[in-house]
């Protein structure tokens, strides 16, 4: 059982907080409310993050708009094996991304004592010390990048992670729902190199198998897959097969367990099954948390994990199942922190006077 020691701090590899504000809480089970309030049933807010010792949140910039296109709805239904009530499509991706980035900046302006944007190594340290909850800005799909050089503009706006795909193919790579898995394109290879050079963490969530293998073959730095589970326990295209885990392990990357797409039961014990499966087969250095809170649209958070304050209960279950306290620390934040620190070495201000 948990000792009297406080439970570890948490780094969450994926939340959609800006989507919640940009969409007006559309498709979520709770309404719109100011972020400083402890609002019942909301996945997270400042009081809940403080209570559960959340240090850093990979904060998604979701550059898609809702649609009821039957073609796209049907594609998502196939991909998730759940009837999709609606779908999203990459549209006005640059403007939409800016709107999302503005939400994070606005939240920090409203709550300067509690929130910050992670821009430097010092910011990482401050968040690890729980001085401020750090938003690590993360593009969800590279649809807004009209060419590889655009990544630096987003980097200068604060972006520190890039998920190459959402569920649609783009000019850089194939998605997990592609009908033709072409992997990484030539431009995609350039994008991976540029991300490595800038220290922008590459995220393979929603990527196809060949995209995973191609990126893992050329990335100089470890990658993440921020929010996915194992296909062995839930066989859908969005989840990962054993070969992908094996290759991510060789790359010293990490995978965040998503609080959805879990198995026959969508509850805290089934998520513990997912974690035990990956831990037992691929070891303690690959495991991390990527809740997808605020992004579990038209669905429910798993039973027992209704909001971020329930995560310590997951740690207790895992201790009972045989994980060591040091393993729980790796899951909660240490593996994710290792990836952040390896990239933060490269973070600097880029201006025209330097190499552009
Ligand atoms: Zn996602």
């Amino acid at each position: 059982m948990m000792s009297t020691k406080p439970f570890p701090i948490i780094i969450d590899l994926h939340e959609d907080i800006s989507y919640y504000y940009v969409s007006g809480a559309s498709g979520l089970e709770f309404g719109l409310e100011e972020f400083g309030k402890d609002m019942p049933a909301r996945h997270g807010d400042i009081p809940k993050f403080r209570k559960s010792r959340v240090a850093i949140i990979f904060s998604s910039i979701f550059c898609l708009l809702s649609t009821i296109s039957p073609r796209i709805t049907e594609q998502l239904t196939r991909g998730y094996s759940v009837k999709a009530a609606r779908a999203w499509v990459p549209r006005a991706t640059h403007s939409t991304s800016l709107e999302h980035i503005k939400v994070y900046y606005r939240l920090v302006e409203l709550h300067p004592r509690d929130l910050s944007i992670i821009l430097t190594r010092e910011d990482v340290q401050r968040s690890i010390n729980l001085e401020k909850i750090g938003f690590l800005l993360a593009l969800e799909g590279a649809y807004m990048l009209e060419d590889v050089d655009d990544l630096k503009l987003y980097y200068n706006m604060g972006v520190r992670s890039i998920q190459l795909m959402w569920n649609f193919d783009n000019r850089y790579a194939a998605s997990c729902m592609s009908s033709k898995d072409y992997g990484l394109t030539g431009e995609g290879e350039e994008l991976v190199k540029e991300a490595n050079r800038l220290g922008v963490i590459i995220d393979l969530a929603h990527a196809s198998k060949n995209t995973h293998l191609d990126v893992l073959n050329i990335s100089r730095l470890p990658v993440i897959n921020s929010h996915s589970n194992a296909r062995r326990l839930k066989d859908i295209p969005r989840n990962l097969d054993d070969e992908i885990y094996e290759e991510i392990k060789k790359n010293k990357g990490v995978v965040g367990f998503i609080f959805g797409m879990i198995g026959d039961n969508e509850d805290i014990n089934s998520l513990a099954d997912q974690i035990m499966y990956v831990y037992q087969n691929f070891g303690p250095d690959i495991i991390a948390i990527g809740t997808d809170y605020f992004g579990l649209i038209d669905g429910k958070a798993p039973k027992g994990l209704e909001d971020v304050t329930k995560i310590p209960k997951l740690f207790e279950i895992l201790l009972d199942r045989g994980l060591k306290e040091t393993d729980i620390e790796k899951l909660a934040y240490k593996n994710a922190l290792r990836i952040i620190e390896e990239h933060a070495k490269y973070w600097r201000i880029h201006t025209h006077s330097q190499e552009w």
Side-chain angles (χ1 to χ4, degrees):
M1 292 303 299
M2 253 328 166
S3 56
T4 46
K5 214 169 122 188
F7 53 82
I9 64 166
I10 292 167
I11 296 179
D12 188 346
L13 292 180
H14 194 82
E15 293 192 20
D16 286 284
I17 296 166
S18 60
Y19 176 85
Y20 167 66
Y21 284 107
V22 169
S23 74
S26 171
L28 292 163
E29 293 177 285
F30 42 90
L32 213 54
E33 182 59 83
E34 197 264 319
F35 213 51
K37 201 178 144 188
D38 188 354
M39 182 192 182
R42 183 161 61 179
H43 292 158
D45 36 52
I46 292 168
K48 293 191 186 77
F49 291 130
R50 288 299 200 186
K51 190 176 169 201
S52 45
R53 295 162 54 83
V54 172
I56 295 175
I57 301 166
F58 281 55
S59 301
S60 162
I61 293 156
F62 186 77
C63 62
L64 297 92
L65 301 179
S66 286
T67 175
I68 53 167
S69 153
R71 181 180 62 83
I72 296 174
T73 311
E74 146 66 17
Q75 186 183 340
L76 291 184
T77 297
R78 256 187 289 121
Y80 288 109
S81 303
V82 175
K83 177 100 190 79
R86 80 181 89 190
W88 292 266
V89 66
R91 279 281 153 176
T93 54
H94 182 62
S95 315
T96 308
S97 299
L98 294 183
E99 238 11 72
H100 281 260
I101 292 173
K102 278 153 68 182
V103 168
Y104 293 113
Y105 275 91
R106 182 68 184 138
L107 287 171
V108 170
E109 280 169 12
L110 287 168
H111 305 281
R113 281 197 310 267
D114 291 303
L115 301 174
S116 69
I117 309 274
I118 298 269
L119 298 174
T120 65
R121 296 159 91 167
E122 293 71 33
D123 295 331
V124 173
Q125 200 48 54
R126 260 194 293 277
S127 289
I128 293 303
N129 296 342
L130 297 180
E131 286 170 43
K132 295 183 189 199
I133 300 155
F135 291 144
L136 190 147
L137 301 186
L139 301 175
E140 181 149 22
Y143 307 97
M144 73 295 281
L145 306 182
E146 289 185 24
D147 64 39
V148 170
D149 290 336
D150 284 355
L151 182 60
K152 190 181 283 177
L153 296 176
Y154 280 90
Y155 172 91
N156 279 342
M157 281 190 271
V159 166
R160 295 290 180 270
S161 176
I162 178 172
Q163 186 182 306
L164 300 179
M165 322 298 308
W166 194 65
N167 294 324
F168 301 101
D169 294 342
N170 63 27
R171 64 196 303 165
Y172 304 107
S175 110
C176 64
M177 296 191 191
S178 182
S179 56
K180 185 175 184 184
D181 184 2
Y182 53 84
L184 208 52
T185 63
E187 273 187 291
E189 288 193 9
E190 294 303 314
L191 184 60
V192 168
K193 286 182 198 154
E194 179 68 353
N196 281 171
R197 192 175 74 80
L198 295 170
V200 173
I201 298 165
I202 296 168
D203 182 352
L204 292 170
H206 296 264
S208 72
K209 177 153 185 171
N210 285 335
T211 298
H212 274 87
L213 299 180
D214 287 351
V215 171
L216 289 162
N217 199 27
I218 66 163
S219 180
R220 283 193 296 109
L221 290 168
V223 304
I224 63 171
N225 183 311
S226 62
H227 58 303
S228 302
N229 282 330
R231 271 200 204 182
R232 189 59 84 85
L233 302 178
K234 176 77 176 178
D235 189 9
I236 54 169
R238 256 294 273 120
N239 281 338
L240 310 181
D241 68 19
D242 288 359
E243 187 186 351
I244 293 178
Y245 281 105
E246 199 53 61
E247 292 302 313
I248 292 176
K249 181 184 173 179
K250 281 188 207 153
N251 165 271
K252 300 193 167 26
V254 307
V255 179
F257 293 96
I258 182 173
F259 288 12
M261 313 185 301
I262 298 170
D264 293 339
N265 296 316
E266 298 279 305
D267 64 18
I268 191 168
N269 287 306
S270 305
L271 190 70
D273 293 341
Q274 280 277 355
I275 296 170
M276 292 308 295
Y277 174 75
V278 175
Y279 171 80
Q280 282 163 351
N281 289 282
F282 308 99
D285 296 323
I286 197 173
I287 54 176
I289 288 172
T291 61
D292 206 15
Y293 279 140
F294 298 97
L296 304 164
I297 307 299
D298 295 325
K300 284 183 187 306
K303 221 162 162 289
L305 288 167
E306 290 79 4
D307 66 58
V308 72
T309 64
K310 311 292 195 297
I311 294 176
K313 178 69 193 162
L314 178 67
F315 299 154
E316 278 183 33
I317 292 173
L318 292 166
L319 278 174
D320 283 344
R321 293 205 192 181
L323 259 66
K324 297 192 284 288
E325 288 207 16
T326 51
D327 298 327
I328 302 287
E329 284 173 356
K330 287 182 177 185
L331 170 72
Y333 77 99
K334 276 199 174 155
N335 288 336
L337 182 59
R338 183 185 82 225
I339 305 287
I340 295 170
E341 284 177 338
E342 282 185 58
H343 287 77
K345 292 186 247 183
Y346 301 93
W347 294 350
R348 59 184 176 86
I349 304 295
H350 293 274
T351 65
H352 282 282
S353 62
Q354 296 160 335
E355 169 205 359
W356 173 254

